[in-house]
Amino acid sequence: MTTVLKNFINGEWVCSKGKDVLDVVNPATGNSIMQVPAGNAGDIEDAAKAAREAWPAWRNTPATQRIQYLFGMKQVLEKNSDEIAGICTNENGKTYAESKAEIVRAIENIEVACGIPTLIQGDFSEDIARGVDEFIIRQPLGTAACICPFNFPIMIPFWFMPYAIACGNAFIVKPSEKVPMTMTRIFELFESIQLPKGVLNMVHGGKESVDAILQHPLIPAISFVGSTPVAKYVYKTGTANGKRVQAQGGAKNAIVVMPDANDDTTVKIIADSAFGCAGQRCLAASVVVTVGKDAEKITKNLVMAARSKKTGYGMLADVEMGPVITKESREKIETLIQSGIDDGADLLLDGRGIKIEDYEKGYFVGPTILDNVNPESLIYKTEIFGPVLSIVHVDTLDEAIDLLNNNKYGNSACIFTHSGAAARKFRHETLAGNIGVNIGIAAPMAFFPFSGWKESFFGDLHAQSSHAVEFYTQTKVVIERWNEEWTRKF
Ligand code: NAD
């Protein structure tokens, strides 16, 4: 019988109060490798209470001492990165190298959050009137929770958790029920750093756990990352309940290729962007828009680069692209490819129906490229979240920018060019939160906020860096009168 994962509440591993469980499936084999609780409001109740009890002592612990635990986290992740990456690959499907890269991103966020003693500083004005000073301080909110997607089981919780706890909050992590094993192992390893009980909790589950978080009066702040419909729901419900919410949603990212950038490096970077993590990245290139007459060469080279990507089980050293997350996901991707063909696109490379030797039951889709995709078609407008690249051709940069700006999402947009003027115009006019110039995945480093516009983000303050510090603290403005004649007692 498969084991059922436990929740981590108040420093203890406890069984869920709910009876329903879900299978965790290795997408490369199609085999169930674990079970996870489906979610229960009682679990969230226990975690919220434990966090509330831990909070007063934690917020009164000086920030310089709070960050010592973060140094411990960094060491644990570094020391155990091989094991953590292996678990991630087996439940998510991405390659081992991609799992290792996630750990680096997680660590970078811990490192930035170690700067909280500086990042959390307020401002002070002396003598705003005679003997009167005024200042602003940042204080933690209480308990914050993060609700995570399946595609980055390691990195995404660390966009939030280190900042929240370093700012003096207690925290609850709700991993994706599709990939709950990686965070569970990280929490087991974190026991060695001996955070005070209740400061960091983990509750498993799906919609029921999310709804309980959205309703709970002891959880005033929620960070969410996932698909746009759920992001909207979480934002709407959470804010209606008086909570502070930051909700990152889906995406449909395009890369514009100017005629002067039609070279091998551009092709390699675009292919890595579109097919890395099997296209299951919120910053993956889903569309290439070529500008100018001579698009044949880049189209042909993109097909060659895509065809050369070795698809298979992510733990094997020569594999460059793993499976997609579920059978349903593969079906959705294959249906969208067919809809693109039906709407008139030319199928240049077809990844449907590929069989990988020894992994015949895995959810594999090979790299797929469609040319002359109609911008009005379903495949152009829908987030595919798979290894599928659509190519569109236009005559001018203005047309390309218009096309991108008509996209309902605004997560990222990239341009490849050797012209500073074209790059500058693109950066200035394109309606997306993360812009890349000669970059395939415009992922902000941990010391910049992870931006995102339009239907890709709901809220005001983004994940990471200074935005995270603002999100997890509230400002208090204090005016003090220490007028000497009136208060002098010495
Ligand atoms: P998802 O929306 O299905 O799930 C995300 C989280 O919401 C999970 O923890 C899940 O348990 C919960 N959830 C799912 N359905 C729910 C419902 N009906 N009510 C309440 N909670 C629910 O997303 P996913 O498939 O896990 O992740 C992929 C999506 O995440 C893609 O759309 C991708 O673009 C997006 N994503 C965005 C970013 C970003 O920074 N904008 C980053 C990573 C992933």
Side-chain angles (χ1 to χ4, degrees):
M1 213 176 103
T2 326
T3 320
V4 182
L5 291 177
K6 291 185 173 170
N7 294 325
F8 188 75
I9 298 175
N10 204 25
E12 310 286 339
W13 290 100
V14 292
C15 292
S16 168
K17 289 185 162 164
K19 288 204 173 58
D20 294 341
V21 292
L22 301 164
D23 281 325
V24 181
V25 175
N26 179 336
T29 62
N31 294 334
S32 171
I33 49 175
M34 186 61 73
Q35 288 192 315
V36 61
N40 183 273
D43 299 339
I44 297 296
E45 174 69 19
D46 290 349
K49 275 194 186 144
R52 180 65 186 83
E53 274 168 34
W55 183 50
W58 183 243
R59 68 164 288 200
N60 289 332
T61 302
T64 49
Q65 287 178 30
R66 292 197 298 255
I67 63 167
Q68 299 310 312
Y69 296 96
L70 269 58
F71 289 116
M73 285 182 181
K74 171 181 155 77
Q75 282 171 356
V76 166
L77 291 185
E78 279 170 351
K79 203 168 138 212
N80 298 282
S81 69
D82 293 353
E83 183 198 352
I84 295 167
I87 299 171
C88 179
T89 291
N90 276 320
E91 67 175 355
N92 171 283
K94 64 176 64 178
T95 66
Y96 185 69
E98 288 167 344
S99 295
K100 287 280 250 193
E102 268 203 63
I103 299 175
V104 175
R105 287 292 190 160
I107 290 171
E108 285 165 359
N109 274 285
I110 294 172
E111 288 168 348
V112 173
C114 285
I116 290 292
T118 309
L119 292 168
I120 206 171
Q121 278 172 349
D123 290 314
F124 196 104
S125 293
E126 195 178 42
D127 287 328
I128 56 156
R130 189 171 299 277
V132 180
D133 306 325
E134 182 163 352
F135 53 97
I136 189 165
I137 51 178
R138 291 200 162 274
Q139 294 192 329
L141 305 168
T143 300
C146 75
I147 300 163
C148 306
F150 79 81
N151 65 328
F152 282 97
I154 306 165
M155 175 185 75
I156 286 181
F158 287 89
W159 281 355
F160 307 110
M161 176 236 285
Y163 301 97
I165 64 172
C167 286
N169 300 281
F171 203 68
I172 302 171
V173 178
K174 206 294 284 171
S176 162
E177 65 278 26
K178 293 183 187 123
V179 293
M181 293 166 62
T182 310
M183 247 313 138
T184 300
R185 184 61 189 137
I186 290 174
F187 266 62
E188 281 170 3
L189 293 165
F190 278 178
E191 283 187 85
S192 66
I193 65 175
Q194 298 191 320
L195 260 170
K197 284 176 192 290
V199 170
L200 193 53
N201 307 276
M202 179 177 51
V203 178
H204 290 296
K207 180 168 171 52
E208 196 173 331
S209 303
V210 173
D211 284 340
I213 291 171
L214 292 172
Q215 300 300 333
H216 206 288
L218 290 179
I219 306 176
I222 297 174
S223 304
F224 172 89
V225 182
S227 58
T228 288
V230 185
K232 259 187 196 167
Y233 166 76
V234 166
Y235 185 76
K236 236 169 111 178
T237 315
T239 51
N241 289 335
K243 295 174 192 304
R244 192 179 274 211
V245 182
Q246 49 179 195
Q248 297 182 221
K252 184 84 190 177
N253 310 303
I255 294 185
V256 172
V257 182
M258 296 300 285
D260 61 355
N262 198 338
D263 54 38
D264 293 348
T265 309
T266 301
V267 167
K268 188 193 170 311
I269 297 174
I270 295 176
D272 288 346
S273 171
F275 305 116
C277 294
Q280 298 175 120
R281 279 189 289 202
C282 66
L283 295 174
S286 184
V287 176
V288 161
V289 181
T290 69
V291 176
K293 301 261 172 283
D294 183 24
E296 247 173 60
K297 182 178 155 210
I298 189 142
T299 305
K300 199 172 110 240
N301 289 345
L302 277 170
V303 172
M304 264 166 53
R307 188 175 280 130
S308 75
K309 296 259 171 220
K310 175 150 186 192
T311 306
Y313 174 41
M315 288 303 282
L316 301 177
D318 57 342
V319 164
E320 294 171 279
M321 202 179 88
V324 297
I325 188 72
T326 58
K327 202 162 149 244
E328 294 72 30
S329 179
R330 182 180 61 190
E331 280 163 17
K332 179 190 153 195
I333 294 163
E334 293 188 344
T335 305
L336 276 166
I337 295 170
Q338 188 56 48
S339 81
I341 301 164
D342 295 345
D343 285 334
D346 303 320
L347 182 64
L348 302 185
L349 185 63
D350 188 358
R352 291 173 297 174
I354 59 160
K355 286 276 171 268
I356 306 294
E357 201 184 332
D358 297 333
Y359 296 91
E360 286 80 5
K361 291 195 183 143
Y363 312 135
F364 293 97
V365 182
T368 299
I369 298 191
L370 293 130
D371 195 14
N372 296 312
V373 172
N374 178 352
E376 290 308 315
S377 63
L378 188 68
I379 193 167
Y380 180 87
K381 293 187 170 172
T382 311
E383 179 180 42
I384 305 171
F385 228 53
V388 181
L389 187 63
S390 298
I391 305 181
V392 178
H393 307 285
V394 298
D395 293 330
T396 64
L397 178 56
D398 281 315
E399 278 177 75
I401 293 174
D402 273 354
L403 204 55
L404 268 58
N405 288 352
N406 284 327
N407 186 333
K408 72 174 179 172
Y409 298 106
N411 220 30
S412 99
C414 299
I415 186 168
F416 280 75
T417 182
H418 297 170
S419 155
R424 188 172 189 277
K425 176 181 169 69
F426 183 82
R427 181 185 79 199
H428 185 67
E429 294 181 14
T430 305
L431 302 176
N434 300 293
I435 299 288
V437 176
N438 299 323
I439 298 283
I441 293 282
M445 291 295 287
F447 35 89
F448 284 94
F450 191 108
S451 202
W453 285 13
K454 301 198 276 185
E455 298 250 316
S456 296
F457 181 74
F458 304 91
D460 303 295
L461 294 163
H462 297 84
Q464 298 194 150
S465 75
S466 56
H467 277 216
V469 177
E470 275 191 60
F471 184 78
Y472 291 122
T473 54
Q474 52 197 338
T475 47
K476 186 179 270 180
V477 179
V478 183
I479 307 181
E480 288 186 356
R481 185 190 308 280
W482 294 108
N483 180 300
E484 213 176 304
E485 294 79 47
W486 180 42
T487 60
R488 180 148 63 136
K489 294 276 189 287
F490 51 89

